[in-house]
PDB file of all heavy atoms in Angstrom:
ATOM      1  N   ARG J  11      -2.543  -7.185  -7.928  1.00  0.00           N
ATOM      2  CA  ARG J  11      -1.692  -6.238  -8.682  1.00  0.00           C
ATOM      3  C   ARG J  11      -0.266  -6.297  -8.206  1.00  0.00           C
ATOM      4  O   ARG J  11       0.644  -5.792  -8.902  1.00  0.00           O
ATOM      5  CB  ARG J  11      -2.204  -4.813  -8.467  1.00  0.00           C
ATOM      6  CG  ARG J  11      -3.383  -4.455  -9.290  1.00  0.00           C
ATOM      7  CD  ARG J  11      -3.588  -2.949  -9.367  1.00  0.00           C
ATOM      8  NE  ARG J  11      -3.164  -2.167  -8.225  1.00  0.00           N
ATOM      9  CZ  ARG J  11      -2.279  -1.192  -8.320  1.00  0.00           C
ATOM     10  NH1 ARG J  11      -1.723  -0.847  -9.464  1.00  0.00           N
ATOM     11  NH2 ARG J  11      -1.929  -0.503  -7.222  1.00  0.00           N
ATOM     12  N   THR J  13       3.430  -8.034  -6.552  1.00  0.00           N
ATOM     13  CA  THR J  13       4.412  -8.934  -7.124  1.00  0.00           C
ATOM     14  C   THR J  13       3.980 -10.376  -7.044  1.00  0.00           C
ATOM     15  O   THR J  13       3.954 -11.102  -8.039  1.00  0.00           O
ATOM     16  CB  THR J  13       5.750  -8.740  -6.349  1.00  0.00           C
ATOM     17  OG1 THR J  13       5.910  -7.368  -6.072  1.00  0.00           O
ATOM     18  CG2 THR J  13       6.936  -9.217  -7.147  1.00  0.00           C
ATOM     19  N   VAL J  14       3.554 -10.810  -5.860  1.00  0.00           N
ATOM     20  CA  VAL J  14       3.114 -12.195  -5.698  1.00  0.00           C
ATOM     21  C   VAL J  14       1.791 -12.399  -6.449  1.00  0.00           C
ATOM     22  O   VAL J  14       1.594 -13.382  -7.165  1.00  0.00           O
ATOM     23  CB  VAL J  14       2.910 -12.518  -4.202  1.00  0.00           C
ATOM     24  CG1 VAL J  14       2.283 -13.898  -4.027  1.00  0.00           C
ATOM     25  CG2 VAL J  14       4.228 -12.445  -3.445  1.00  0.00           C
ATOM     26  N   SER J  37      -9.584  -4.404  -4.749  1.00  0.00           N
ATOM     27  CA  SER J  37      -8.327  -3.654  -4.614  1.00  0.00           C
ATOM     28  C   SER J  37      -8.504  -2.585  -3.559  1.00  0.00           C
ATOM     29  O   SER J  37      -9.628  -2.165  -3.278  1.00  0.00           O
ATOM     30  CB  SER J  37      -7.957  -3.012  -5.945  1.00  0.00           C
ATOM     31  OG  SER J  37      -6.906  -2.069  -5.776  1.00  0.00           O
ATOM     32  N   THR J  38      -7.397  -2.159  -2.957  1.00  0.00           N
ATOM     33  CA  THR J  38      -7.472  -1.058  -2.008  1.00  0.00           C
ATOM     34  C   THR J  38      -7.329   0.295  -2.732  1.00  0.00           C
ATOM     35  O   THR J  38      -7.600   1.331  -2.159  1.00  0.00           O
ATOM     36  CB  THR J  38      -6.374  -1.142  -0.928  1.00  0.00           C
ATOM     37  OG1 THR J  38      -5.100  -1.048  -1.536  1.00  0.00           O
ATOM     38  CG2 THR J  38      -6.468  -2.452  -0.157  1.00  0.00           C
ATOM     39  N   SER J  39      -6.863   0.264  -4.007  1.00  0.00           N
ATOM     40  CA  SER J  39      -6.591   1.555  -4.683  1.00  0.00           C
ATOM     41  C   SER J  39      -7.251   1.689  -6.080  1.00  0.00           C
ATOM     42  O   SER J  39      -7.234   2.786  -6.626  1.00  0.00           O
ATOM     43  CB  SER J  39      -5.076   1.721  -4.854  1.00  0.00           C
ATOM     44  OG  SER J  39      -4.585   0.758  -5.772  1.00  0.00           O
ATOM     45  N   CYS J  74      -3.031 -11.594  -1.408  1.00  0.00           N
ATOM     46  CA  CYS J  74      -1.569 -11.410  -1.506  1.00  0.00           C
ATOM     47  C   CYS J  74      -1.306  -9.938  -1.232  1.00  0.00           C
ATOM     48  O   CYS J  74      -0.420  -9.325  -1.847  1.00  0.00           O
ATOM     49  CB  CYS J  74      -1.056 -11.752  -2.887  1.00  0.00           C
ATOM     50  SG  CYS J  74      -1.580 -13.318  -3.518  1.00  0.00           S
ATOM     51  N   GLN J  75      -2.109  -9.312  -0.392  1.00  0.00           N
ATOM     52  CA  GLN J  75      -2.019  -7.873  -0.212  1.00  0.00           C
ATOM     53  C   GLN J  75      -0.997  -7.475   0.855  1.00  0.00           C
ATOM     54  O   GLN J  75      -0.375  -6.460   0.747  1.00  0.00           O
ATOM     55  CB  GLN J  75      -3.409  -7.336   0.200  1.00  0.00           C
ATOM     56  CG  GLN J  75      -3.489  -5.836   0.337  1.00  0.00           C
ATOM     57  CD  GLN J  75      -3.338  -5.118  -0.993  1.00  0.00           C
ATOM     58  OE1 GLN J  75      -3.384  -5.698  -2.036  1.00  0.00           O
ATOM     59  NE2 GLN J  75      -3.080  -3.825  -0.975  1.00  0.00           N
ATOM     60  N   GLY J  76      -0.860  -8.319   1.885  1.00  0.00           N
ATOM     61  CA  GLY J  76       0.102  -7.973   2.928  1.00  0.00           C
ATOM     62  C   GLY J  76      -0.516  -8.027   4.309  1.00  0.00           C
ATOM     63  O   GLY J  76      -1.748  -8.112   4.474  1.00  0.00           O
ATOM     64  N   SER J 167      12.849  -8.443  -5.010  1.00  0.00           N
ATOM     65  CA  SER J 167      11.421  -8.636  -5.183  1.00  0.00           C
ATOM     66  C   SER J 167      10.775  -9.289  -3.988  1.00  0.00           C
ATOM     67  O   SER J 167       9.559  -9.259  -3.843  1.00  0.00           O
ATOM     68  CB  SER J 167      11.148  -9.460  -6.426  1.00  0.00           C
ATOM     69  OG  SER J 167      11.894 -10.671  -6.388  1.00  0.00           O
ATOM     70  N   ALA J 171       6.760  -4.839  -4.955  1.00  0.00           N
ATOM     71  CA  ALA J 171       6.910  -4.090  -6.222  1.00  0.00           C
ATOM     72  C   ALA J 171       7.696  -2.799  -6.052  1.00  0.00           C
ATOM     73  O   ALA J 171       8.587  -2.484  -6.856  1.00  0.00           O
ATOM     74  CB  ALA J 171       5.515  -3.803  -6.753  1.00  0.00           C
ATOM     75  N   GLN J 351      11.226 -17.244  -5.520  1.00  0.00           N
ATOM     76  CA  GLN J 351      10.445 -17.021  -4.307  1.00  0.00           C
ATOM     77  C   GLN J 351       9.059 -16.479  -4.624  1.00  0.00           C
ATOM     78  O   GLN J 351       8.167 -16.502  -3.772  1.00  0.00           O
ATOM     79  CB  GLN J 351      11.208 -16.146  -3.330  1.00  0.00           C
ATOM     80  CG  GLN J 351      10.878 -14.681  -3.319  1.00  0.00           C
ATOM     81  CD  GLN J 351      11.365 -13.933  -4.563  1.00  0.00           C
ATOM     82  OE1 GLN J 351      12.145 -14.463  -5.346  1.00  0.00           O
ATOM     83  NE2 GLN J 351      10.965 -12.681  -4.684  1.00  0.00           N
TER      84      GLN J 351
HETATM   85  P1  NAP K   1       3.595  -5.821  -3.268  1.00  0.00           P
HETATM   86  O1  NAP K   1       4.283  -6.121  -4.559  1.00  0.00           O
HETATM   87  O2  NAP K   1       4.070  -4.646  -2.506  1.00  0.00           O
HETATM   88  O3  NAP K   1       2.011  -5.674  -3.573  1.00  0.00           O
HETATM   89  C1  NAP K   1       1.080  -5.451  -2.536  1.00  0.00           C
HETATM   90  C2  NAP K   1       0.021  -4.429  -2.989  1.00  0.00           C
HETATM   91  O4  NAP K   1       0.638  -3.148  -3.155  1.00  0.00           O
HETATM   92  C3  NAP K   1      -0.618  -4.666  -4.334  1.00  0.00           C
HETATM   93  O5  NAP K   1      -1.597  -5.657  -4.264  1.00  0.00           O
HETATM   94  C4  NAP K   1      -1.192  -3.309  -4.649  1.00  0.00           C
HETATM   95  O6  NAP K   1      -2.444  -3.184  -3.993  1.00  0.00           O
HETATM   96  C5  NAP K   1      -0.196  -2.357  -3.978  1.00  0.00           C
HETATM   97  N1  NAP K   1       0.727  -1.632  -4.918  1.00  0.00           N
HETATM   98  C6  NAP K   1       1.150  -0.357  -4.697  1.00  0.00           C
HETATM   99  N2  NAP K   1       1.986   0.015  -5.643  1.00  0.00           N
HETATM  100  C7  NAP K   1       2.093  -0.965  -6.518  1.00  0.00           C
HETATM  101  C8  NAP K   1       2.844  -1.163  -7.707  1.00  0.00           C
HETATM  102  N3  NAP K   1       3.649  -0.203  -8.196  1.00  0.00           N
HETATM  103  N4  NAP K   1       2.736  -2.322  -8.369  1.00  0.00           N
HETATM  104  C9  NAP K   1       1.965  -3.315  -7.899  1.00  0.00           C
HETATM  105  N5  NAP K   1       1.231  -3.184  -6.765  1.00  0.00           N
HETATM  106  C10 NAP K   1       1.295  -2.026  -6.071  1.00  0.00           C
HETATM  107  O7  NAP K   1       3.700  -7.039  -2.267  1.00  0.00           O
HETATM  108  P2  NAP K   1       4.129  -8.567  -2.515  1.00  0.00           P
HETATM  109  O8  NAP K   1       5.605  -8.638  -2.573  1.00  0.00           O
HETATM  110  O9  NAP K   1       3.350  -9.091  -3.642  1.00  0.00           O
HETATM  111  O10 NAP K   1       3.717  -9.232  -1.131  1.00  0.00           O
HETATM  112  C11 NAP K   1       2.370  -9.488  -0.789  1.00  0.00           C
HETATM  113  C12 NAP K   1       2.358 -10.325   0.491  1.00  0.00           C
HETATM  114  O11 NAP K   1       2.980 -11.584   0.223  1.00  0.00           O
HETATM  115  C13 NAP K   1       3.163  -9.695   1.657  1.00  0.00           C
HETATM  116  O12 NAP K   1       2.502  -9.994   2.857  1.00  0.00           O
HETATM  117  C14 NAP K   1       4.477 -10.445   1.594  1.00  0.00           C
HETATM  118  O13 NAP K   1       5.108 -10.498   2.867  1.00  0.00           O
HETATM  119  C15 NAP K   1       4.016 -11.824   1.156  1.00  0.00           C
HETATM  120  N6  NAP K   1       5.073 -12.587   0.476  1.00  0.00           N
HETATM  121  C16 NAP K   1       5.822 -11.960  -0.487  1.00  0.00           C
HETATM  122  C17 NAP K   1       6.817 -12.689  -1.110  1.00  0.00           C
HETATM  123  C18 NAP K   1       7.701 -12.046  -2.158  1.00  0.00           C
HETATM  124  O14 NAP K   1       8.654 -12.685  -2.591  1.00  0.00           O
HETATM  125  N7  NAP K   1       7.418 -10.828  -2.596  1.00  0.00           N
HETATM  126  C19 NAP K   1       7.016 -14.057  -0.791  1.00  0.00           C
HETATM  127  C20 NAP K   1       6.218 -14.653   0.194  1.00  0.00           C
HETATM  128  C21 NAP K   1       5.234 -13.898   0.809  1.00  0.00           C
HETATM  129  P3  NAP K   1      -3.728  -2.408  -4.554  1.00  0.00           P
HETATM  130  O15 NAP K   1      -4.179  -3.044  -5.830  1.00  0.00           O
HETATM  131  O16 NAP K   1      -4.746  -2.569  -3.471  1.00  0.00           O
HETATM  132  O17 NAP K   1      -3.211  -0.990  -4.752  1.00  0.00           O
END
Side-chain angles (χ1 to χ4, degrees):
R11 280 198 330 122
T13 320
V14 174
S37 168
T38 64
S39 68
C74 310
Q75 183 69 12
S167 53
Q351 97 288 351

